[in-house]
Amino acid sequence: MSGRIDARFKALKEEGRAGLVTFLCAGDPDIPTFETILAGLPQAGADLIEIGMPFSDPMADGPAIQAGNLRALKNGISVARTLEIVRRFRAADPATPIILMGYYNPIHHYGRHGFLDDAKEAGVDGLIIVDLPPEEDEELCLPALERGLNFIRLATPTTDAKRLPAVLANTSGFLYYVSLTGITGVKSAAAGEVGEAVARLRASTDLPIAVGFGIREPEQAAAIARHADAAVVGSALVSELASCLDEEGRPQPGLVEAVLGKVQALAQGVRGARRK
């Protein structure tokens, strides 16, 4: 399979650097503000964009992203509206890869085949569905691959040599290494441990390896970028956004600039990292 994700990682390899993957919840804090941020992410330095599909019970996410989910749901976001946002983004940006991250319940409610068809048509490139294990590949993974959508799987510090082949079997685009056990945004990753883990994973796959969880500052992003093919930052961006809301959850002046400024700083960290 070849698409925008493969093309972007190929370009990054040719540049001799790692990429920055940014995560925000679709529709957070409201749909117009989110779309403004989304449109500015590539210029700010996001190489790939991960969009969370808000769900009322995001069990793998920490407090910051849980709050982002709830804000977005309160403001009327849905799977259908998320796909509309991607469609509008794609009309203006034909190149930046878009990955939807979420849980299976909203997709099942939407209708899995209809969702995959509509996601492909909207310009989505890949999916990360955290609560569908490899044993359930026939449910969504294989139909997604048939439509040319990358299905991106998570590996963790507890993914042992016996489990890894199942994780890798139908994974495409890249492998997402979760550098910490537990939920997002509550601890920081140790670069040395990440380096060892990435080396182990590289022995089993040729896929690019993106590392996320616990990356908050440019220095941390740079440390990860020395080992991995991309650094993924989510909770830090959602927290930056939340810090620019008033007591009613409404965006204050400067919110968009603050979030994109954080992305720019992280991107500079990643781009300045010397690869191991």
Side-chain angles (χ1 to χ4, degrees):
M1 183 189 298
S2 182
R4 293 185 190 94
I5 295 175
D6 291 345
R8 181 53 52 97
F9 276 108
K10 181 180 178 183
L12 290 170
K13 188 173 183 179
E14 289 172 354
E15 290 180 41
R17 69 173 180 89
L20 174 65
V21 184
T22 60
F23 170 93
L24 289 165
C25 302
D28 181 27
D30 56 53
I31 292 174
T33 304
F34 175 77
E35 290 202 69
T36 302
I37 297 170
L38 181 63
L41 286 174
Q43 187 174 352
D47 296 296
L48 299 91
I49 297 172
E50 188 182 333
I51 298 175
M53 294 185 289
F55 179 46
S56 58
D57 186 24
M59 58 189 176
D61 294 302
I65 293 178
Q66 286 184 18
N69 274 265
L70 294 177
R71 286 192 297 269
L73 290 169
K74 181 180 178 182
N75 285 310
I77 198 63
S78 63
V79 172
R81 288 184 173 178
T82 300
L83 294 177
E84 289 172 9
I85 289 169
V86 174
R87 192 175 292 110
R88 287 192 288 270
F89 173 87
R90 185 59 73 213
D93 185 322
T96 305
I98 293 283
I99 299 120
L100 295 184
M101 177 270 179
Y103 300 82
Y104 187 53
N105 184 285
I107 295 171
H108 180 72
H109 186 263
Y110 188 99
R112 61 189 175 115
H113 292 296
F115 168 78
L116 293 172
D117 290 339
D118 292 349
K120 181 67 176 177
E121 183 273 330
V124 172
D125 301 292
L127 301 172
I128 301 173
I129 309 301
V130 297
D131 55 350
L132 277 183
E135 288 76 15
E136 303 291 337
D137 274 359
E138 291 185 4
E139 188 72 17
L140 197 69
C141 173
L142 297 182
L145 296 177
E146 289 171 2
R147 289 163 172 82
L149 290 165
N150 290 124
F151 205 85
I152 296 148
R153 197 84 68 186
L154 306 180
T156 74
T158 60
T159 305
D160 59 21
K162 184 177 179 180
R163 180 64 175 166
L164 188 58
V167 170
L168 293 172
N170 292 308
T171 298
S172 65
F174 62 91
L175 179 65
Y176 187 157
Y177 178 65
V178 176
S179 60
L180 302 163
T181 56
I183 56 176
T184 58
V186 294
K187 292 188 289 185
S188 296
E193 293 176 7
V194 168
E196 293 174 7
V198 169
R200 288 196 302 271
L201 293 171
R202 288 204 197 284
S204 298
T205 182
D206 293 327
L207 287 169
I209 298 169
V211 174
F213 281 48
I215 303 171
R216 293 187 162 276
E217 300 301 333
E219 297 78 13
Q220 292 172 309
I224 296 300
R226 294 187 184 102
H227 301 281
D229 298 297
V232 186
V233 182
S235 294
L237 298 179
V238 178
S239 296
E240 185 73 32
L241 183 154
S243 72
C244 298
L245 301 174
D246 66 16
E247 292 181 358
E248 303 298 321
R250 294 174 300 218
Q252 298 185 80
L255 181 151
V256 172
E257 292 78 9
V259 174
L260 294 179
K262 181 77 172 180
V263 172
Q264 193 169 24
L266 290 161
Q268 289 172 349
V270 167
R271 293 175 189 219
R274 305 177 84 178
R275 304 302 299 279
K276 293 275 185 178

